[in-house]
Amino acid sequence: MSAELKALIEGSERAVVFTGAGISTESGIPDFRSPGGLWTKMAPIDFRDFMASEEMRIEAWRRKFAMDGSFAAAEPNKGHMAVAKLVDTGRVTHVITQNVDNLHQNSGVPTDRVIELHGNSTYATCLNCGARYELAEIRSHYEEHGKPQDCQFCSGIIKSATISFGQAMPEAEMERATEATLECDLFIAIGSSLQVYPAAGFPIMAKKNGAKLVILNREETELDPLADLVVHEEIGPTLAPIVQLN
Ligand SMILES: [Zn+2]
């Protein structure tokens, strides 16, 4: 399987890597959507509720700060490092990710090569003017006043830079992901169950456009029948030898 994947990568001129929770669970980050995952026990806060009430915003930040400690120390694993090497050698043009953990950037993929479909949980932004805020600053205000601060520039609502349920997909990222997908000759979906749309539409788009499709995931996915190569293995141990990562 690894040999076949290696041959496909070596035969490609412009590959795109697409990643989901599975690549980060190998770094100890829980998959909230999985059976038994956090979101099956406690429903996530919908974007409309977040916007509608300060009480919900206080609760959202309380959960955020309570949870952050558990995976703030997570580090990129061999899977991330292998992907970074593929970007570095020019084989892979972009990494489209459903993850919000910043581990692709932490593994050395340049920020402009990472397309985050669901945002980023390691900082916050003003929903009105887009100003960026660091979590430590928001946290100290929250702990002092018992509620989150408003934007210092426009008084807008500040929210973790992730895309919540009920929140619109980020337009610029969707456009960039579409462009990268339509330009690639090989699309490698890694660690995603490929069930969450519109994200799962990208492998289909690539395949319809003539690219080869590889799916690397521990479990079966609904798009397996569409793929040129399916590998049901751990991600790091599969990718590391392909890029000669020690
Ligand atoms: Zn603002």
Side-chain angles (χ1 to χ4, degrees), residues 126 128-131 133 151 153-156:
C126 168
N128 186 46
C129 76
Y133 289 87
C151 178
F153 306 108
C154 76
S155 304

mmCIF file with all atom_site columns, all heavy atoms in Angstrom, residues 126 128-131 133 151 153-156, ligand 1:
data_model
loop_
_atom_site.group_PDB
_atom_site.id
_atom_site.type_symbol
_atom_site.label_atom_id
_atom_site.label_alt_id
_atom_site.label_comp_id
_atom_site.label_asym_id
_atom_site.label_entity_id
_atom_site.label_seq_id
_atom_site.pdbx_PDB_ins_code
_atom_site.Cartn_x
_atom_site.Cartn_y
_atom_site.Cartn_z
_atom_site.occupancy
_atom_site.B_iso_or_equiv
_atom_site.pdbx_formal_charge
_atom_site.auth_seq_id
_atom_site.auth_comp_id
_atom_site.auth_asym_id
_atom_site.auth_atom_id
_atom_site.pdbx_PDB_model_num
ATOM   1  N  N   . CYS A 1 126 ? -12.464 39.532 16.154 1.00 0.00 ? 126 CYS A N   1
ATOM   2  C  CA  . CYS A 1 126 ? -13.688 40.318 16.272 1.00 0.00 ? 126 CYS A CA  1
ATOM   3  C  C   . CYS A 1 126 ? -14.568 39.961 15.078 1.00 0.00 ? 126 CYS A C   1
ATOM   4  O  O   . CYS A 1 126 ? -14.120 40.001 13.935 1.00 0.00 ? 126 CYS A O   1
ATOM   5  C  CB  . CYS A 1 126 ? -13.369 41.806 16.264 1.00 0.00 ? 126 CYS A CB  1
ATOM   6  S  SG  . CYS A 1 126 ? -14.839 42.836 16.054 1.00 0.00 ? 126 CYS A SG  1
ATOM   7  N  N   . ASN A 1 128 ? -16.919 41.543 13.893 1.00 0.00 ? 128 ASN A N   1
ATOM   8  C  CA  . ASN A 1 128 ? -17.327 42.724 13.136 1.00 0.00 ? 128 ASN A CA  1
ATOM   9  C  C   . ASN A 1 128 ? -16.203 43.270 12.264 1.00 0.00 ? 128 ASN A C   1
ATOM   10 O  O   . ASN A 1 128 ? -16.375 43.424 11.058 1.00 0.00 ? 128 ASN A O   1
ATOM   11 C  CB  . ASN A 1 128 ? -17.833 43.801 14.107 1.00 0.00 ? 128 ASN A CB  1
ATOM   12 C  CG  . ASN A 1 128 ? -18.399 45.000 13.387 1.00 0.00 ? 128 ASN A CG  1
ATOM   13 O  OD1 . ASN A 1 128 ? -19.175 44.851 12.445 1.00 0.00 ? 128 ASN A OD1 1
ATOM   14 N  ND2 . ASN A 1 128 ? -18.004 46.189 13.807 1.00 0.00 ? 128 ASN A ND2 1
ATOM   15 N  N   . CYS A 1 129 ? -15.031 43.523 12.857 1.00 0.00 ? 129 CYS A N   1
ATOM   16 C  CA  . CYS A 1 129 ? -13.954 44.168 12.083 1.00 0.00 ? 129 CYS A CA  1
ATOM   17 C  C   . CYS A 1 129 ? -12.802 43.223 11.769 1.00 0.00 ? 129 CYS A C   1
ATOM   18 O  O   . CYS A 1 129 ? -11.894 43.564 11.025 1.00 0.00 ? 129 CYS A O   1
ATOM   19 C  CB  . CYS A 1 129 ? -13.437 45.411 12.803 1.00 0.00 ? 129 CYS A CB  1
ATOM   20 S  SG  . CYS A 1 129 ? -12.364 45.070 14.212 1.00 0.00 ? 129 CYS A SG  1
ATOM   21 N  N   . GLY A 1 130 ? -12.819 42.024 12.347 1.00 0.00 ? 130 GLY A N   1
ATOM   22 C  CA  . GLY A 1 130 ? -11.784 41.049 12.017 1.00 0.00 ? 130 GLY A CA  1
ATOM   23 C  C   . GLY A 1 130 ? -10.503 41.175 12.811 1.00 0.00 ? 130 GLY A C   1
ATOM   24 O  O   . GLY A 1 130 ? -9.570  40.395 12.606 1.00 0.00 ? 130 GLY A O   1
ATOM   25 N  N   . ALA A 1 131 ? -10.422 42.124 13.735 1.00 0.00 ? 131 ALA A N   1
ATOM   26 C  CA  . ALA A 1 131 ? -9.191  42.284 14.528 1.00 0.00 ? 131 ALA A CA  1
ATOM   27 C  C   . ALA A 1 131 ? -8.863  40.990 15.259 1.00 0.00 ? 131 ALA A C   1
ATOM   28 O  O   . ALA A 1 131 ? -9.755  40.296 15.739 1.00 0.00 ? 131 ALA A O   1
ATOM   29 C  CB  . ALA A 1 131 ? -9.354  43.432 15.527 1.00 0.00 ? 131 ALA A CB  1
ATOM   30 N  N   . TYR A 1 133 ? -7.228  38.739 18.275 1.00 0.00 ? 133 TYR A N   1
ATOM   31 C  CA  . TYR A 1 133 ? -6.935  38.795 19.713 1.00 0.00 ? 133 TYR A CA  1
ATOM   32 C  C   . TYR A 1 133 ? -6.295  37.490 20.150 1.00 0.00 ? 133 TYR A C   1
ATOM   33 O  O   . TYR A 1 133 ? -6.699  36.413 19.683 1.00 0.00 ? 133 TYR A O   1
ATOM   34 C  CB  . TYR A 1 133 ? -8.226  39.021 20.514 1.00 0.00 ? 133 TYR A CB  1
ATOM   35 C  CG  . TYR A 1 133 ? -8.783  40.420 20.343 1.00 0.00 ? 133 TYR A CG  1
ATOM   36 C  CD1 . TYR A 1 133 ? -9.640  40.717 19.290 1.00 0.00 ? 133 TYR A CD1 1
ATOM   37 C  CD2 . TYR A 1 133 ? -8.435  41.429 21.224 1.00 0.00 ? 133 TYR A CD2 1
ATOM   38 C  CE1 . TYR A 1 133 ? -10.137 42.001 19.111 1.00 0.00 ? 133 TYR A CE1 1
ATOM   39 C  CE2 . TYR A 1 133 ? -8.931  42.722 21.060 1.00 0.00 ? 133 TYR A CE2 1
ATOM   40 C  CZ  . TYR A 1 133 ? -9.779  42.997 20.007 1.00 0.00 ? 133 TYR A CZ  1
ATOM   41 O  OH  . TYR A 1 133 ? -10.262 44.277 19.829 1.00 0.00 ? 133 TYR A OH  1
ATOM   42 N  N   . CYS A 1 151 ? -14.645 44.119 21.345 1.00 0.00 ? 151 CYS A N   1
ATOM   43 C  CA  . CYS A 1 151 ? -13.530 44.614 20.542 1.00 0.00 ? 151 CYS A CA  1
ATOM   44 C  C   . CYS A 1 151 ? -13.160 46.036 20.951 1.00 0.00 ? 151 CYS A C   1
ATOM   45 O  O   . CYS A 1 151 ? -14.034 46.900 21.076 1.00 0.00 ? 151 CYS A O   1
ATOM   46 C  CB  . CYS A 1 151 ? -13.902 44.571 19.060 1.00 0.00 ? 151 CYS A CB  1
ATOM   47 S  SG  . CYS A 1 151 ? -12.605 45.223 17.986 1.00 0.00 ? 151 CYS A SG  1
ATOM   48 N  N   . PHE A 1 153 ? -11.647 48.165 19.209 1.00 0.00 ? 153 PHE A N   1
ATOM   49 C  CA  . PHE A 1 153 ? -11.713 49.093 18.072 1.00 0.00 ? 153 PHE A CA  1
ATOM   50 C  C   . PHE A 1 153 ? -13.151 49.447 17.695 1.00 0.00 ? 153 PHE A C   1
ATOM   51 O  O   . PHE A 1 153 ? -13.445 50.567 17.330 1.00 0.00 ? 153 PHE A O   1
ATOM   52 C  CB  . PHE A 1 153 ? -11.005 48.494 16.850 1.00 0.00 ? 153 PHE A CB  1
ATOM   53 C  CG  . PHE A 1 153 ? -9.593  48.077 17.149 1.00 0.00 ? 153 PHE A CG  1
ATOM   54 C  CD1 . PHE A 1 153 ? -9.247  46.733 17.241 1.00 0.00 ? 153 PHE A CD1 1
ATOM   55 C  CD2 . PHE A 1 153 ? -8.606  49.037 17.371 1.00 0.00 ? 153 PHE A CD2 1
ATOM   56 C  CE1 . PHE A 1 153 ? -7.949  46.344 17.522 1.00 0.00 ? 153 PHE A CE1 1
ATOM   57 C  CE2 . PHE A 1 153 ? -7.299  48.661 17.659 1.00 0.00 ? 153 PHE A CE2 1
ATOM   58 C  CZ  . PHE A 1 153 ? -6.969  47.309 17.735 1.00 0.00 ? 153 PHE A CZ  1
ATOM   59 N  N   . CYS A 1 154 ? -14.026 48.436 17.728 1.00 0.00 ? 154 CYS A N   1
ATOM   60 C  CA  . CYS A 1 154 ? -15.379 48.672 17.188 1.00 0.00 ? 154 CYS A CA  1
ATOM   61 C  C   . CYS A 1 154 ? -16.485 48.178 18.115 1.00 0.00 ? 154 CYS A C   1
ATOM   62 O  O   . CYS A 1 154 ? -17.661 48.214 17.743 1.00 0.00 ? 154 CYS A O   1
ATOM   63 C  CB  . CYS A 1 154 ? -15.507 48.004 15.820 1.00 0.00 ? 154 CYS A CB  1
ATOM   64 S  SG  . CYS A 1 154 ? -15.696 46.218 15.901 1.00 0.00 ? 154 CYS A SG  1
ATOM   65 N  N   . SER A 1 155 ? -16.124 47.694 19.303 1.00 0.00 ? 155 SER A N   1
ATOM   66 C  CA  . SER A 1 155 ? -17.096 47.150 20.267 1.00 0.00 ? 155 SER A CA  1
ATOM   67 C  C   . SER A 1 155 ? -17.817 45.908 19.763 1.00 0.00 ? 155 SER A C   1
ATOM   68 O  O   . SER A 1 155 ? -18.854 45.521 20.313 1.00 0.00 ? 155 SER A O   1
ATOM   69 C  CB  . SER A 1 155 ? -18.142 48.201 20.682 1.00 0.00 ? 155 SER A CB  1
ATOM   70 O  OG  . SER A 1 155 ? -17.514 49.336 21.199 1.00 0.00 ? 155 SER A OG  1
ATOM   71 N  N   . GLY A 1 156 ? -17.302 45.287 18.708 1.00 0.00 ? 156 GLY A N   1
ATOM   72 C  CA  . GLY A 1 156 ? -17.907 44.070 18.182 1.00 0.00 ? 156 GLY A CA  1
ATOM   73 C  C   . GLY A 1 156 ? -17.701 42.888 19.122 1.00 0.00 ? 156 GLY A C   1
ATOM   74 O  O   . GLY A 1 156 ? -16.949 42.964 20.099 1.00 0.00 ? 156 GLY A O   1
HETATM 75 ZN ZN  . ZN  B 2 .   ? -13.792 44.939 15.987 1.00 0.00 ? 1   ZN  B ZN  1
#
